[in-house]
Amino acid sequence: MAMAPDAPADRPVTIWAGAPAPAMRQLPLDLGPERPQTLSSYVAGSNGDAVSWLTAWPPAGQAPSPVYLWGAEGSGKTHLLRALLARALAQGWGAIWLAPGSCQMWDGHAPEAPTLALMDDCGALHPDEQHLAFNLFIESAGSASRAAEEGGPLHVAAAGHAPPVDLPVRDDLRTRLGWGWVFHLAPLDEAGVRQVLAQEAERRGLGLPDEVLNYLFARHSRDLSALMRLLDQLDAYALSAHRPVTVPLVRQVLSLETP
């Protein structure tokens, strides 16, 4: 489900206008165990419209329009934001990654290069991070009309667990998160989750027989995030024990989680 953009044209401001810069920790972006995050590696399920739109985004020659993705944990919001980040950096863009407790920035290859600001888990942003997010939206709205020597356009992509109207953030930020395109990401069905697990196991060179998948779906949470964390544990345990992934090995790993 998507809503068409209707962004007002506000006057551009500096990112830190009106308040001192918040004291944010500059943390390296945790991309997990070298797991590639691309649009093509995202198992879309019923979210094909969102993936098609993101694949074609941003439209050439058009003013920056923000996009907001929302859905339950495991629906792939962070995967899609990281895929956009990787694509922007590969194209020489600047980038800003904002998430609760961290902010990381990359310079573009040229001063006039576009910049992509990505905001993850927006509902959990701290007040100073919400201030930064708000000003990034204002900067984006004014960036299309400024001279190239002042910097390229600023695009915004954000994600959260709920639609913008239900996010527990300041009112002006909530409004701006709903300015542009809004996509609801539905969780994958069992077939889609199996595909993700099989795809990731193959990437790792890890055998994941059907009987193991059947056991996991019968005895473990079907939440994709939880299953991916379990796959990390199975991979590490199988490697340290020099054993293939079998149902007995899965039982051992699951028993370690039992208090």
Side-chain angles (χ1 to χ4, degrees), residues 1-203:
M1 176 177 63
M3 293 184 288
D6 184 21
D10 284 83
R11 181 175 58 86
V13 299
T14 346
I15 287 176
W16 305 117
M24 290 188 179
R25 292 178 291 158
Q26 300 294 316
L27 300 178
L29 186 62
D30 178 15
L31 296 178
E34 300 183 1
R35 184 177 300 139
Q37 309 287 344
T38 66
L39 292 175
S40 60
S41 68
Y42 178 76
V43 177
S46 61
N47 301 317
D49 288 346
V51 176
S52 296
W53 192 90
L54 292 172
T55 300
W57 180 80
Q62 294 188 20
S65 174
V67 59
Y68 177 77
L69 310 171
W70 71 274
E73 184 179 3
S75 58
K77 305 180 296 296
T78 301
H79 181 125
L80 292 174
L81 291 186
R82 288 173 172 172
L84 293 177
L85 171 63
R87 188 172 69 179
L89 294 177
Q91 293 175 347
W93 288 28
I96 301 168
W97 180 275
L98 177 64
S102 66
C103 180
Q104 190 172 3
M105 304 180 187
W106 295 259
D107 289 331
H109 289 178
E112 67 276 10
T115 296
L116 176 60
L118 301 126
M119 308 171 190
D120 198 17
D121 198 7
C122 289
L125 292 176
H126 304 154
D128 54 354
E129 295 161 351
Q130 292 180 37
H131 175 78
L132 171 56
F134 169 77
N135 280 317
L136 286 169
F137 272 104
I138 300 301
E139 176 73 8
S140 175
S143 66
S145 59
R146 67 189 179 199
E149 59 270 16
E150 297 175 359
L154 174 64
H155 299 263
V156 176
H161 70 280
V165 68
D166 293 331
L167 286 176
V169 296
R170 49 191 269 185
D171 290 342
D172 50 8
L173 176 58
R174 187 184 304 115
T175 299
R176 281 154 180 80
L177 286 166
W179 260 4
W181 288 84
V182 177
F183 289 97
H184 176 216
L185 301 180
L188 291 174
D189 58 15
E190 181 176 322
V193 173
R194 283 175 176 263
Q195 183 180 345
V196 172
L197 291 173
Q199 180 177 290
E200 177 59 17
E202 181 180 2
R203 186 191 71 81

